[in-house]
Amino acid sequence: MEAASAHTLSDVLPPEILSLPKVEVPIDGVTGFCMHDDEKQVVFFVFEEGVSFPDHAHCDQRGIVVSGEMTIEVNGETNLYQAGDSYEVPEGVVHRANFSTRTVLVD
């Protein structure tokens, strides 16, 4: 992840997003900014190269890859998502994700 440290968040996200509240993520190399109301939330994530997000589950999750790529394993099936691809993980389903390059998601 050292090579990615030369980049700043302003390289990939505009000031309007960078001014949103930060999301607390317990994994190094992940930064998120959240916009929400009483029913929904949208998180703008930056995952640095080499980040692995271990098995976890939560509410229904939908998103789009803005740049970079990620692999998601859901129910034993692994899929690659690249810039422009959308994804969905149903509520309560255990999944994991890996990022081979710096990746921006809207989730």
Side-chain angles (χ1 to χ4, degrees):
M1 289 192 309
E2 240 174 84
S5 65
H7 300 287
T8 64
L9 292 173
S10 62
D11 291 340
V12 292
L13 296 174
E16 295 82 2
I17 292 173
L18 295 174
S19 68
L20 294 170
K22 270 191 166 182
V23 176
E24 290 186 33
V25 181
I27 295 175
D28 288 341
V30 182
T31 307
F33 299 90
C34 185
M35 182 170 51
H36 66 89
D37 64 17
D38 292 338
E39 296 179 18
K40 303 279 185 214
Q41 73 177 15
V42 175
V43 180
F44 301 87
F45 278 115
V46 178
F47 291 86
E48 299 298 344
E49 180 179 343
V51 168
S52 291
F53 217 94
D55 287 349
H56 64 286
H58 42 66
C59 63
D60 186 52
Q61 178 180 12
R62 295 180 180 139
I64 188 166
V65 179
V66 175
S67 64
E69 64 181 35
M70 71 172 171
T71 56
I72 300 178
E73 183 180 326
V74 179
N75 293 327
E77 184 178 322
T78 302
N79 289 295
L80 173 66
Y81 297 90
Q82 297 175 311
D85 292 340
S86 60
Y87 57 91
E88 181 175 359
V89 180
E91 181 174 356
V93 173
V94 175
H95 58 286
R96 69 179 73 168
N98 293 295
F99 302 87
S100 61
T101 187
R102 190 178 210 206
T103 302
V104 178
L105 307 177
V106 178
D107 193 83

